[in-house]
Amino acid sequence: MSRQQQQTQGVVLTGYHSNAELVPQTRLCASSCPQVPHVPQNAEPSRRTGHYSLQQNQNTQHGDRYGPSDPNSSSAPHPRSQPSSSPKLGSSPRQSPNSRPRPPHTYQRYNSQDSLDELEMDDYWKEVENINRSGGGGPRGEGGGDGEVQEEEQQKTPEEGEQEEAWLTEAGLQQLFDDSLADDQDQDVDSAVFLSTLTRTQAAAVERRVQQTLRRRNRQHLPDVRDIFRPPEKNDEPHKLKGGSENGQKDSSSAETETELNVEVAFSEQALFYRDNHQRLKVTASPSPNSPDDKLPNFKLLRDKTGQTRIGDLSPLDMKKVRRLVLVEMTALFDTAGIDVKTHKAVKVKTKETGLFGVPLHILLDQDQRKVSGTKVPFFLQRLISHIEHEGLDTEGLLRIPGAATRVKSLCQELESSFFDGTFQWQQLKQHDAASLLKLFIRELPHPLLTVEYLNAFIAVNKLPTKKQQLQALNLLVLLLPEANRDTLKALVEFFQRVINYQAKNKMTLNNVSVIMAPNIFMFKGFRSKVTEQQEFSMATSTANIVRLLIRYQNLLWTIPKFIVTQVRQQNMESQRKQHKERAVRKLLKKITTEKPPERAIPEESSQGFIRVQAPQFSKISMAVQLTEELQAADVLTRFINKDSSVAVKKEELCLYEIGGNIKERCLDGETYMKDLFQLNPTAEWVIKAMQR
């Protein structure tokens, strides 16, 4: 990495605070609704209406560090900033009496943001002004949606190794540094299995944090990390799945086109290969400036005959393994680029336990799930989106044009009191008011939708050198989000895409929607720290770019990469092997096995090229299906449905599941080639049942 890149600094968006003066006013809505600030007519308009709270990055030997703010460097110019004569990103949007002055042109231009031009960023600042006028960004010390001061946990500078220790704990590897867990054999076996399936870059990420944690603990006799990551003995080598090299993965140098996403090789391994082959290049090629939406790369996944795995396809047990692996892989990917992302713990804030606005997502879902089990997205958000779509997505300026502030506050009050009893008059709700309520709902969440823990990592995505790596990092971060946040974010980006589909009439392109929604998603109430206008401005295009990628590539981001699923399969196989090897009652189990009734003739059928598919809800509850080169999972479903059309469940709600063997449970993609999957997991059972998403 070049010296210039090693010295890179940046800023971390944490919150938004208004500097607009407030005067006493009559409350227009319930306590859950933010207040509308009023400025006296003879008062001079504020030239600075608000600011984000950010943290200044500090230089480290690993490159960009998203750490605590350095009070002595908050006003220093960005080291990579270059004076610009271009009016595009660095120039000030058109000034108005109420608009904020724009910072000087010396700020960082991210390669990934070149297609967000001046006019579109002007919409961003107008949205910030609208948020401020609606009371969405209160000054320092002002409370959240309930009108009370929120209790905030002061940020402290983490000691060396403290962050790494928390990371290891989150990854379930605390026994690597905690002696009190040394006698926990189950935990020991679990960690050994987990570590045995890691790639080179993943293992390096763990090893680096073990060293830093042990150094912090200042032990007299530090264990050699080579004892933790020693090469496995011949008899202890993890079982390798067919069709790959080390850890069941193909070589990262496998040929692929610029727009093909290879999900069979760990992203961090691909990034390492890219870095080693481009380390002499000082500047990474980037898309031409101001390219329209359709000039973004049309990425697609490399075809996988064993089927694509979507979020929700795996069992909860396997998803726990996925999350641990994704955390390590995400960190390894950033490590490869020299970016050390610092996470924050969620701040303690006083939150509401009832209502609509300013209520945590999990509380909203808890109250909704008591009415309809399995609810994934809050009823109110679903109803709001449904209303906007029913009224027509072709409304010009949808999402961009704000509703009347006083009317929105009045509607907020009415919704709080009448939504749950079903008496709210939806026919009175105008399109732009409804869109304003949707944005208000997102902003008023006590914790950001992208979470305090991973918000820094989302912003750091912009520092990765290629669009492909940025997309890979976003894929991993989406998988790390809590389920409620992930499902709500998915509902939103799907809605945004439907709005964009009507851009010929509503004039809302991908870029337009992104710059409007970025401040609503990234501005939240929590951290309090100072920020320069220059830092605020540089964050604008950064956050807009993240929203742009989330919308454009949503069909790819909500999938689980094959290399992660492969590692889960390896862990399951290795766990089974170790359990059988170390079990002291093997003779007893052997005796029990001999007393069991004869097993079904599935192995014989399989050896003859057949699998037996179970379908409890059909009149024909099982069927032997011959494996052919072209047989897909959807074909198996069709055969059962054609033989029994009286089944009550719709075909779209049914799924062929792969159960057992080297996976707990997996709902199969309709385009899965059964023969290829059978070769990967020959001991699995095949069951048709309703989807459990």
Side-chain angles (χ1 to χ4, degrees), residues 68-228:
S69 175
D70 182 354
N72 298 322
S73 63
S74 62
S75 60
H78 197 293
R80 292 178 65 185
S81 299
Q82 300 295 333
S84 172
S85 59
S86 170
K88 295 304 180 185
L89 283 175
S91 60
S92 302
R94 295 182 296 274
Q95 295 291 327
S96 66
N98 293 325
S99 64
R100 65 193 335 283
R102 303 299 176 235
H105 300 265
T106 54
Y107 63 91
Q108 173 62 30
R109 283 186 60 153
Y110 291 107
N111 291 336
S112 59
Q113 301 154 10
D114 285 343
S115 60
L116 295 173
D117 63 18
E118 174 191 359
L119 181 60
E120 287 158 340
M121 293 315 299
D122 190 22
D123 286 341
Y124 179 98
W125 297 112
K126 288 178 181 177
E127 181 69 13
V128 171
E129 300 294 338
N130 291 333
I131 292 172
N132 179 66
R133 285 196 295 270
S134 70
R140 177 183 294 274
E142 187 172 290
D146 58 4
E148 299 179 9
V149 176
Q150 295 179 343
E151 299 175 354
E152 296 181 8
E153 179 180 312
Q154 295 297 322
Q155 295 292 312
K156 68 172 184 176
T157 303
E159 300 176 9
E160 181 185 5
E162 185 177 4
Q163 183 95 20
E164 290 73 19
E165 181 175 320
W167 184 91
L168 288 168
T169 301
E170 186 179 0
L173 297 172
Q174 58 267 44
Q175 77 287 349
L176 296 182
F177 61 84
D178 191 344
D179 292 336
S180 65
L181 300 175
D183 296 331
D184 190 338
Q185 294 184 353
D186 291 339
Q187 186 80 7
D188 223 21
V189 170
D190 175 73
S191 294
V193 169
F194 181 80
L195 294 172
S196 71
T197 63
L198 299 184
T199 65
R200 294 172 300 165
T201 49
Q202 291 171 352
V206 175
E207 183 176 353
R208 183 178 297 113
R209 281 148 186 84
V210 170
Q211 290 175 324
Q212 292 169 329
T213 300
L214 295 179
R215 190 180 301 117
R216 170 180 177 260
R217 294 194 164 218
N218 197 23
R219 296 180 179 175
Q220 294 182 351
H221 303 288
L222 296 179
D224 193 329
V225 292
R226 287 174 293 184
D227 294 336
I228 299 174

Side-chain angles (χ1 to χ4, degrees), residues 465-478:
T466 68
K467 270 287 195 299
K468 185 175 291 188
Q469 288 185 31
Q470 292 173 12
L471 192 56
Q472 291 168 339
L474 282 178
N475 185 191
L476 299 172
L477 286 167
V478 166

Side-chain angles (χ1 to χ4, degrees), residues 236-265:
D236 291 334
E237 289 183 1
H239 182 74
K240 296 179 181 179
L241 296 175
K242 297 179 181 179
S245 57
E246 182 184 3
N247 294 326
Q249 298 182 11
K250 295 182 179 179
D251 188 356
S252 61
S253 62
S254 299
E256 61 188 76
T257 67
E258 286 293 325
T259 57
E260 286 182 329
L261 290 177
N262 186 342
V263 292
E264 297 191 24
V265 179

